[in-house]
Amino acid sequence: MAKNNDVGENGREVLVLLGGAGDLALRMLLPSLYFLELDRLLPHDLRIIGVARADHDAASYKALVREQLGKRATVEEAVWNRLAARLDYVPANITSEEDTKKLAERIGAHGTLVIFFSLSPSLYGPACQALQAAGLTGPNTRLILEKPLGRDLESSKATNVAVAAVVDESQVFRIDHYLGKETVQNLTALRFANVLFEPLWDRNTIDHVQITIAETEKVGDRWPYYDEYGALRDMVQNHMLQLLCLVAMEAPSGFDPDAVRDEKVKVLRSLRPFTKETVAHDTVRGQYVAGVVEGGARAGYVEEVGKPTKTETFVAMKVAIDNWRWDGVPFFLRTGKNLPDRRTQIVVQFKPLPHNIFGPATDGELCANRLVIDLQPDEDISLTIMNKRPGLSDEGMRLQSLPLSLSFGQTGGRRRIAYEKLFVDAFRGDRTLFVRRDEVEQAWRFIDGVSAAWEEASIEPAHYAAGTWGPQSAQGLISPGGRAWKA
């Protein structure tokens, strides 16, 4: 952890939260900083400056943060007092050079400067220019960029060019908070720290992989943003493809930033593009209509938006990875809004045994092994294996499946917010869990291909009732070969 090596202000580290009075900052970022303060994991001399257009002073900003923290946790006053002593606030339009110079004056002399962009991506370029004009993009500056990074490959490149004009790539930390989740990191350890799994992690023993990100929430007030992006760009481009990369990548040469991200880029480059011919039967595009979720009536998406729209709120797809390890192994992805269950889950389904030695009575009992990685609402990794059913039977040995939890170290205690880990890594300068520029652009290249194929094949969203698992065709996507989505 960083130390204060200088006298006075010269060595102090500074964290600037652009959009510091916004929803993400108040709901996730500042609570993460509070919990890091609780565990004394913040750099001991760190200053934290919130920046937004809202007309606060330092006192009213601290009161706002304290109120929001109370909604997230039981606040310990001693910890809050330590955090509050770090907090400051500057009302500013971060795209204004005049306002940004006032921010620079407030920052003053400093050591490492970490700037978190909790802003609309359309502001990244102008904000970078203003920060540079104010002298805040020197070699000790690190920029944390929140998703989405563009709406397509072209806009993503434009954003990256604007950022690259003011800082070096080594100073850029593109965030996908899923990578900060404990169970996602555990997946990497499970694969590459255990001789039991890696030899089985290929086409010879794995039948298919499922990745589900299901949300019970409606789009609601987010519709102006969501109607422009849709489920494909909002969820598949970043979270789902990142999870797919971690499941499918080869072992990196070491656990350093470029080695890990090199392997993820290789996976993205190996994704088979969709065509007009394949997109119709290998993808499902849906939009919810009125239904019931968690016992409450929900309006349809068109009613929420207030006008006809063809934006998808559900996507499922069968993805192929064209390399030796995964030849013939389908990856099934699905995500959507207004679904019956909140769940983020990876399922690695192994192939069934080639022959059952236990007799006809066990034919319906013998299940293929399955590894399930749950990311939310609960975090766990479990492996389903077969064992003998206790007791005696005149039909010989009977079998039962047994789920074994592989997350023993996570029982009890508080589950960390994913941003906590990412903040700690950013303060240390460790970019392993952040996304590199070529990763982002390669992911957009694949997603743009899906979108173009939909347009070429005239694929419009099929309706599904809120509270169901998407259009019926989503079941048909996975069902060939006797496969099924995990219930």
Side-chain angles (χ1 to χ4, degrees):
M1 193 57 63
K3 306 256 187 208
N4 183 0
N5 296 318
D6 294 341
V7 177
E9 296 286 292
N10 294 334
R12 294 198 69 177
E13 297 191 38
V14 180
L15 169 64
V16 175
L17 300 177
L18 304 182
D23 178 69
L24 177 65
L26 295 173
R27 187 171 48 87
M28 301 294 288
L29 305 183
L30 286 155
S32 296
L33 293 167
Y34 167 81
F35 287 121
L36 291 176
E37 181 69 73
L38 172 68
D39 294 330
R40 297 188 180 274
L41 291 174
L42 291 177
H44 76 275
D45 56 354
L46 180 71
R47 298 168 59 206
I48 302 169
I49 303 176
V51 178
R53 296 189 181 190
D55 189 20
H56 289 290
D57 57 19
S60 64
Y61 182 62
K62 291 178 184 181
L64 175 65
V65 173
R66 176 64 177 81
E67 177 187 359
Q68 294 299 316
L69 284 177
K71 298 177 181 179
R72 177 89 192 198
T74 301
V75 178
E76 296 184 22
E77 289 305 317
V79 179
W80 163 246
N81 290 336
R82 295 202 307 267
L83 181 65
R86 302 177 184 272
L87 285 176
D88 198 356
Y89 182 81
V90 175
N93 173 1
I94 196 58
T95 65
S96 161
E97 291 188 12
E98 181 180 354
D99 282 6
T100 309
K101 287 177 181 177
K102 293 179 182 177
L103 171 63
E105 291 173 2
R106 184 70 63 86
I107 292 171
H110 60 83
T112 301
L113 173 63
V114 179
I115 304 177
F116 194 114
F117 282 60
S118 180
L119 302 170
S120 167
S122 63
L123 300 178
Y124 284 9
C128 283
Q129 293 172 6
L131 290 167
Q132 184 183 46
L136 294 176
T137 56
N140 291 331
T141 298
R142 297 169 186 163
L143 304 184
I144 304 179
L145 306 182
E146 180 64 67
K147 78 165 188 80
L149 294 171
R151 185 186 177 275
D152 51 25
L153 179 59
E154 182 179 356
S155 58
S156 178
K157 283 184 174 180
T159 300
N160 284 324
V161 167
V163 174
V166 300
V167 294
D168 184 75
E169 174 67 19
S170 64
Q171 298 170 255
V172 181
F173 294 69
R174 297 174 188 84
I175 207 164
D176 185 329
H177 71 269
Y178 269 48
L179 299 183
K181 290 181 176 290
E182 190 73 22
T183 308
V184 173
Q185 297 168 63
N186 242 348
L187 171 60
T188 306
L190 188 76
R191 283 195 61 189
F192 301 125
N194 295 284
V195 72
L196 293 176
F197 287 103
E198 186 56 23
L200 305 178
W201 211 262
D202 60 23
R203 66 186 184 279
N204 295 314
T205 54
I206 291 178
D207 178 80
H208 71 276
V209 176
Q210 302 176 25
I211 301 176
T212 294
I213 302 181
E215 299 178 278
T216 55
E217 294 90 350
K218 60 184 180 180
V219 172
D221 293 339
R222 293 183 67 229
W223 76 260
Y225 158 81
Y226 196 90
D227 204 51
E228 181 182 358
Y229 281 76
L232 180 70
R233 293 180 172 90
D234 184 50
M235 295 298 290
V236 180
Q237 186 274 335
N238 45 82
H239 297 328
M240 300 203 85
L241 289 185
Q242 282 294 317
L243 295 179
L244 182 149
C245 286
L246 292 174
V247 173
M249 72 181 188
E250 298 293 329
S253 59
F255 201 64
D256 61 90
D258 282 331
V260 172
R261 294 184 294 182
D262 284 347
E263 299 304 331
K264 290 198 290 180
V265 170
K266 289 177 185 177
V267 174
L268 293 170
R269 289 174 177 164
S270 299
L271 296 178
R272 184 182 301 169
F274 286 97
T275 65
K276 178 182 178 181
E277 291 71 32
T278 63
V279 76
H281 57 79
D282 285 345
T283 72
V284 176
R285 194 180 184 198
Q287 184 186 94
Y288 62 78
V289 295
V292 177
V293 181
E294 298 178 329
R298 295 280 177 89
Y301 180 68
V302 170
E303 286 71 39
E304 290 179 351
V305 175
K307 62 180 180 180
T309 174
K310 295 180 180 179
T311 298
E312 75 283 348
T313 62
F314 177 94
V315 174
M317 57 178 61
K318 177 184 175 182
V319 176
I321 300 176
D322 288 330
N323 61 26
W324 282 14
R325 180 182 290 265
W326 298 113
D327 181 50
V329 178
F331 284 68
F332 296 99
L333 280 56
R334 65 172 174 173
T335 184
K337 297 282 189 181
N338 260 340
L339 300 183
D341 185 26
R342 177 174 175 258
R343 180 193 313 173
T344 300
Q345 186 178 73
I346 302 169
V347 177
V348 179
Q349 181 66 59
F350 292 91
K351 290 182 177 180
L353 290 172
H355 176 64
N356 179 11
I357 68 171
F358 299 103
T362 63
D363 283 345
E365 300 171 341
L366 194 60
C367 301
N369 301 125
R370 172 184 280 178
L371 183 69
V372 178
I373 301 103
D374 287 305
L375 279 72
Q376 64 181 19
D378 300 313
E379 295 191 47
D380 189 27
I381 299 178
S382 62
L383 176 66
T384 299
I385 64 171
M386 297 303 301
N387 73 336
K388 177 187 176 298
R389 183 185 299 176
L392 301 176
S393 171
D394 57 7
E395 296 178 303
M397 185 181 292
R398 303 301 298 272
L399 303 175
Q400 66 179 7
S401 61
L402 177 68
L404 297 178
S405 175
L406 304 181
S407 300
F408 303 111
Q410 299 190 78
T411 57
R414 179 183 63 84
R415 188 176 70 182
R416 289 195 178 277
I417 304 172
Y419 284 98
E420 294 178 50
K421 168 64 174 170
L422 298 173
F423 269 129
V424 168
D425 283 358
F427 294 143
R428 295 172 53 215
D430 184 348
R431 297 189 299 143
T432 304
L433 297 180
F434 294 86
V435 184
R436 202 167 60 190
R437 175 176 176 171
D438 54 345
E439 278 186 78
V440 174
E441 294 180 357
Q442 191 63 44
W444 274 123
R445 190 169 284 111
F446 174 73
I447 293 300
D448 283 358
V450 177
S451 183
W454 278 348
E455 184 174 355
E456 188 178 2
S458 301
I459 304 295
E460 296 188 2
H463 288 162
Y464 66 97
T468 65
W469 282 106
Q472 186 59 39
S473 51
Q475 307 303 319
L477 179 72
I478 196 173
S479 60
R483 300 182 179 112
W485 296 106
K486 184 181 182 300

